[in-house]
Amino acid sequence: MALSSNIGGSLAVGVQTLMANPLRTVLSTLGVIMGVASLVAVLAIGDGVEAFAREQIESTTDLQAMMISPVTFDLVDGIRVPRTDYPTFGLADIDKLEATLGNNAVVALILQGSARITPDTGRARAATVTATTAAAASLIRKPFLAGRFFSDTEVRDSARVAVISQGLADALFPSSPATSVLGRQVTLEAARFNIIGVAENDARSTTLAAFVPATTASIALTPSVSPRTANIYVRALDIVSVPGMRKSSTEWLTSQYGVWKRSISLSGGEGVRLDQ
């Protein structure tokens, strides 16, 4: 009871003091409001700048990407000596690594090369061809002008389907809109492929590019005298997930390949670009 009386008396004295000095009360209140507003504004600007910086890093760089590659040669006395004991990555490895990383990263099998691409009419063109898996669709940072990327089912069925860049579509089919290119057939080396998608060009690249299912690499790419091996491309969904992605990937490599550092290289923050 005494405590309630003390509180009530204190409040009464406080109100009387505020009313006795209205100007000082208004100025003090205004100062508190401005101080809190300034602090909130500074924190909001800081959070906004941080979010913008992360978004730019994630969308324009490969700092959150990692490449797992077989080592196909040794450097002896400055000379490359081919190796025969390197691992060969396949769809089973992709499935296992995806299960290990969960939803924190995108995993794709990638094998890059070149090919002569010939339309039904017109001359053949040379293009960079990426044989990959369906997950690579999320790694292409430019929108589709028409069509779609191939699916997991098409990859596992070795479907002869292709996604081409806008530049390649213009080179193969001059004056034809992207939508009219869908369903047309082209010949990659000696195999026929149906075009199911056209992706917008990257402004930084003039390379003619095509994407085909990883399981069709042997018929879609120009034969090479040097070993052509598939790499595993891993991309964290955000910057903060990169350390965990790298740790989990190295643990997976150890569980699958034992002492792997001599036969497999792991490079983080670099990786190939898929949005050519």
Side-chain angles (χ1 to χ4, degrees):
M1 194 69 178
L3 179 61
S4 299
S5 299
N6 290 335
I7 294 176
S10 298
L11 289 175
V13 172
V15 172
Q16 290 175 2
T17 303
L18 292 175
M19 294 179 65
N21 301 281
L23 181 60
R24 186 172 64 182
T25 299
V26 171
L27 293 176
S28 298
T29 304
L30 184 61
V32 171
I33 293 173
M34 293 179 63
V36 172
S38 299
L39 180 60
V40 171
V42 169
L43 293 176
I45 292 173
D47 289 343
V49 170
E50 180 182 358
F52 176 77
R54 286 187 177 183
E55 181 181 348
Q56 291 301 305
I57 290 172
E58 293 171 4
S59 63
T60 62
T61 73
D62 286 308
L63 293 180
Q64 63 201 66
M66 182 175 65
M67 186 72 76
I68 303 173
S69 309
V71 177
T72 59
F73 65 88
D74 291 315
L75 198 62
V76 181
D77 296 329
I79 300 174
R80 287 190 174 191
V81 180
R83 301 184 59 177
T84 58
D85 59 345
Y86 54 84
T88 302
F89 297 131
L91 297 183
D93 294 291
I94 297 299
D95 293 339
K96 293 175 182 177
L97 184 54
E98 282 181 336
T100 299
L101 296 176
N103 297 323
N104 296 323
V106 176
V107 183
L109 190 69
I110 292 178
L111 198 157
Q112 287 192 306
S114 59
R116 287 178 292 270
I117 301 182
T118 310
D120 289 332
T121 58
R123 68 186 184 91
R125 304 302 298 259
T128 297
V129 179
T130 302
T132 185
T133 48
S138 62
L139 305 179
I140 298 177
R141 301 167 193 166
K142 291 296 181 179
F144 275 68
L145 297 177
R148 60 177 178 84
F149 208 74
F150 40 81
S151 65
D152 280 319
T153 300
E154 289 169 321
V155 172
R156 297 186 187 279
D157 291 345
S158 301
R160 297 189 180 187
V161 293
V163 174
I164 63 176
S165 66
Q166 179 184 1
L168 182 56
D170 292 341
L172 294 174
F173 308 102
S175 304
S176 296
T179 53
S180 70
V181 173
L182 298 181
R184 294 197 185 186
Q185 290 193 331
V186 291
T187 301
L188 275 74
E189 294 305 311
R192 301 280 285 174
F193 281 75
N194 291 319
I195 298 174
I196 62 171
V198 179
E200 184 179 334
N201 267 9
D202 184 348
R204 294 167 293 177
S205 176
T206 58
T207 304
L208 305 182
F211 304 87
V212 298
T215 48
T216 65
S218 60
I219 60 174
L221 301 180
T222 303
S224 174
V225 294
S226 58
R228 180 182 281 152
T229 58
N231 302 322
I232 298 177
Y233 184 91
V234 188
R235 184 178 178 84
L237 297 185
D238 49 57
I239 292 295
V240 297
S241 300
V242 172
M245 173 192 74
R246 188 179 181 90
K247 181 176 182 294
S248 297
S249 297
T250 55
E251 290 175 350
W252 173 79
L253 284 172
T254 301
S255 68
Q256 295 294 311
Y257 296 97
V259 182
W260 54 270
K261 292 189 177 180
R262 185 175 178 273
S263 59
I264 300 173
S265 68
L266 189 151
S267 56
E270 297 175 354
V272 298
R273 296 192 62 86
L274 297 184
D275 53 347
Q276 298 183 48

